[in-house]
Amino acid sequence: MIQATDLKKALYSMRDKMAEERDYLCELDRHLGDGDHGVTMDIGWKAVAQALDDLDAETDISVICKQVAMAFLNAVGSSVGPLYATGFLQAGKPFKGKTALTSEDVATFWIAFAEGIEARGGAKIGDKTMVDTLAPMAAYLREREGGFDSEGALAAAKKGMESTKTLQANVGRSSRLGERSIGTIDPGAASAFLLFKAFCDSVQPREKV
Amino acid sequence: MKKLVNNPDVVVDEMIDGYLKAFPKLVAKVEGSGRALVAKQSLHGNGKVGIVIGGGSGHEPAFMGYIGRGMADGVAIGNIFASPPPQPIVEATEAVNQGNGVVYIYGNYAGDIMNFGMASDLADMEHDIKVESIIVRDDVASAPKREKEKRRGIAGEFFVTKVAGAASARGDDLSEVVRLTNKANESVRSMGVGLTPCALPQTGKPSFVLGKNEMEIGLGHHGEPGVEKGPLQQADDVCDRLIDDILNDGGLKAGDDVAVLVNGLGSTTQMELFIMFRRVEQRLSEKQINIHRSYVGNYSTSMEMGGCSVTLMKVDEELKALIDAPAECPLYAQYE
């Protein structure tokens, strides 16, 4: 079981990961966009952490997710703002009134997260976006059934992220690059993987989920 | 790159602070908001259709400089090169709403579309405000004509805002403001060239790399790569390339009238912009296209980027009247 406090701890470690990888994500974005993806994610996750500080006593998973979503959205706007906000709103939705997640619940959480982002942004696998990381991860969890397996889900997410290197962008700003978008990992796919990895690393060692 | 900043994390808020203090008679922050500003004259209850603009910071004087008489009423300000979130857009919408509808004008970027789209839903559901959105797609370099809906918005948004602001200022109703703004949007085409990059204050690194004697044709105004890199050419040759691509896109013929904007991207001098304008005038006059009104200067920048864009908007009698209408904003004004 993952308690609300474990979820919060994982969210803080996602914040730390974005701060650590800020320059790397900006570097990827300089090849494909305006070079600010790391800055945007860093700003957004700092705002998330601030919102979590104010939620010290809150244990309702859906309330935590809603606050995280709104904090991120209002801090960054951009395209990732609405995407991550929708992801967290959808992920938290089934857990109204719940203060802990079972292994099955964690799988449900991440599947809903990925589906929310896909629905909001309209990108498909192969468009060279964060969906290339998230959709295979969700597909793995959906097929596997029987709960959350971070090792397999992470491997699927990583493979998806790496596939963006050879893809040509089809949506978003980088789509205007055409063939010149080939050769660089999509920064949105990279940050989605790093966030998911930070989550798994945070919950895995203490809780066998 | 050197910049006059304090803490890179608060550049946008410090900029807004300074802007409000420089023009206290003209602009104000929406109460309780951090990133929504309104023109003070818009707060008068004259029942006009509200115009809300917005987008990322770093394009000054766009977008915050264009709220005032005859232009937009409210603006939502995002982080550098990032769409504002829905909250300040809704705050600006509520502040300028006078019961007769609000028009959003923004550029065609995935982030702006999602955030303004969410804001428009919230304005309707929670505040019962009717919102219409005009998405600017003037950059002919950003997608071929058959994929026009993918084109991004650049400096042409200035003309689209001018038309909307003038129509709403004279008391046109929502459907008429929308019709005229759409007409302006359909009639405007731009193309740019980049010579030197800009750097985000948070990273200090250039947004793209060009060789010492290289230029990039069709560069986007966030530094998105353009259609091709090549050796830097003389102003007339660069201008010809931009004008040819705009004219080849269609919509203009001998005898037509146009409004022209030669826009600096940030660090380009007035000297260079007038040299470019000189050639634009020569080329249009060869084609017997008449320049109705001209704008030369920094209207939509990319921080300290070097280069410029050329925008042409075909104007008929009703668009001429709107382009010629007076306007008074903190960072742009024109008189009869």
Side-chain angles (χ1 to χ4, degrees), chain B residues 51-67:
Chain B
I51 310 289
V52 171
I53 56 176
S57 297
H59 301 303
E60 296 70 33
F63 304 91
M64 68 177 188
Y66 298 143
I67 53 171

Side-chain angles (χ1 to χ4, degrees), chain B:
Chain B
M1 268 177 225
K2 296 181 198 171
K3 284 186 196 275
L4 289 171
V5 299
N6 299 305
N7 172 358
D9 291 342
V10 295
V11 285
V12 173
D13 301 296
E14 291 190 352
M15 169 187 76
I16 293 171
D17 206 22
Y19 178 62
L20 292 171
K21 291 196 168 122
F23 302 103
K25 288 180 186 157
L26 298 176
V27 289
K29 204 180 256 192
V30 174
E31 222 180 293
S33 168
R35 298 281 184 90
L37 311 185
V38 289
K40 283 200 166 170
Q41 59 99 26
S42 299
L43 304 174
H44 301 161
N46 57 4
K48 78 191 277 296
V49 169
I51 310 289
V52 171
I53 56 176
S57 297
H59 301 303
E60 296 70 33
F63 304 91
M64 68 177 188
Y66 298 143
I67 53 171
R69 190 166 63 92
M71 285 289 276
D73 304 295
V75 62
I77 301 171
N79 292 329
I80 295 175
F81 295 169
S83 167
Q87 186 179 311
I89 305 171
V90 173
E91 288 164 349
T93 309
E94 273 190 275
V96 307
N97 173 45
Q98 301 196 32
N100 291 312
V102 172
V103 174
Y104 290 171
I105 301 168
Y106 53 91
N108 187 25
Y109 296 93
D112 292 294
I113 287 169
M114 282 189 270
N115 288 287
F116 278 88
M118 289 168 91
S120 150
D121 292 346
L122 289 168
D124 179 26
M125 290 185 309
E126 290 181 8
H127 308 285
D128 206 20
I129 301 171
K130 171 109 178 104
V131 173
E132 297 277 2
S133 296
I134 312 283
I135 302 169
V136 182
R137 304 175 158 96
D138 58 314
D139 186 355
V140 301
S142 55
K145 201 175 181 182
R146 62 175 190 282
E147 294 177 0
K148 218 175 144 203
E149 74 290 349
K150 284 191 177 174
R151 286 180 175 173
R152 59 197 171 212
I154 53 173
E157 188 167 332
F158 171 75
F159 282 155
V160 179
T161 305
K162 175 77 184 73
V163 165
S168 98
R170 74 182 177 192
D172 289 8
D173 68 12
L174 182 64
S175 65
E176 186 65 356
V177 172
V178 168
R179 181 184 71 82
L180 290 162
T181 310
N182 270 325
K183 185 174 179 179
N185 198 24
E186 289 302 314
S187 310
V188 69
R189 287 176 176 76
S190 305
M191 181 139 157
V193 59
L195 306 185
T196 53
C198 59
L200 295 174
Q202 291 101 328
T203 62
K205 291 194 181 147
S207 53
F208 57 90
V209 181
L210 280 179
K212 209 174 163 201
N213 291 307
E214 257 187 335
M215 65 175 179
E216 181 140 359
I217 294 281
L219 187 91
H221 75 168
H222 309 96
E224 301 97 322
V227 286
E228 67 184 57
K229 281 185 189 183
L232 180 62
Q233 295 173 314
Q234 292 190 357
D236 285 0
D237 296 328
V238 175
C239 186
D240 286 355
R241 171 71 200 269
L242 302 183
I243 285 286
D244 286 346
D245 279 20
I246 292 171
L247 293 178
N248 287 339
D249 203 64
L252 284 170
K253 57 182 192 306
D256 282 344
D257 297 307
V258 289
V260 178
L261 165 60
V262 174
N263 172 56
L265 293 180
S267 67
T268 304
T269 59
Q270 289 277 351
M271 180 185 280
E272 293 160 275
L273 297 179
F274 281 113
I275 291 170
M276 290 292 286
F277 181 81
R278 169 186 171 275
R279 184 64 176 177
V280 172
E281 192 282 328
Q282 281 177 359
R283 292 297 314 279
L284 292 178
S285 128
E286 273 167 25
K287 305 257 180 201
Q288 293 173 296
I289 294 167
N290 172 53
I291 297 180
H292 176 72
R293 197 175 192 112
S294 315
Y295 298 80
V296 181
N298 285 355
Y299 285 81
S300 184
T301 63
S302 301
M303 293 192 287
E304 72 278 35
M305 199 183 284
C308 72
S309 61
V310 173
T311 300
L312 302 182
M313 181 170 78
K314 181 181 171 180
V315 288
D316 59 6
E317 292 314 308
E318 64 180 359
L319 288 183
K320 280 183 198 170
L322 296 164
I323 281 293
D324 289 341
E328 187 186 9
C329 302
L331 303 183
Y332 147 74
Q334 75 178 45
Y335 305 96
E336 301 289 354

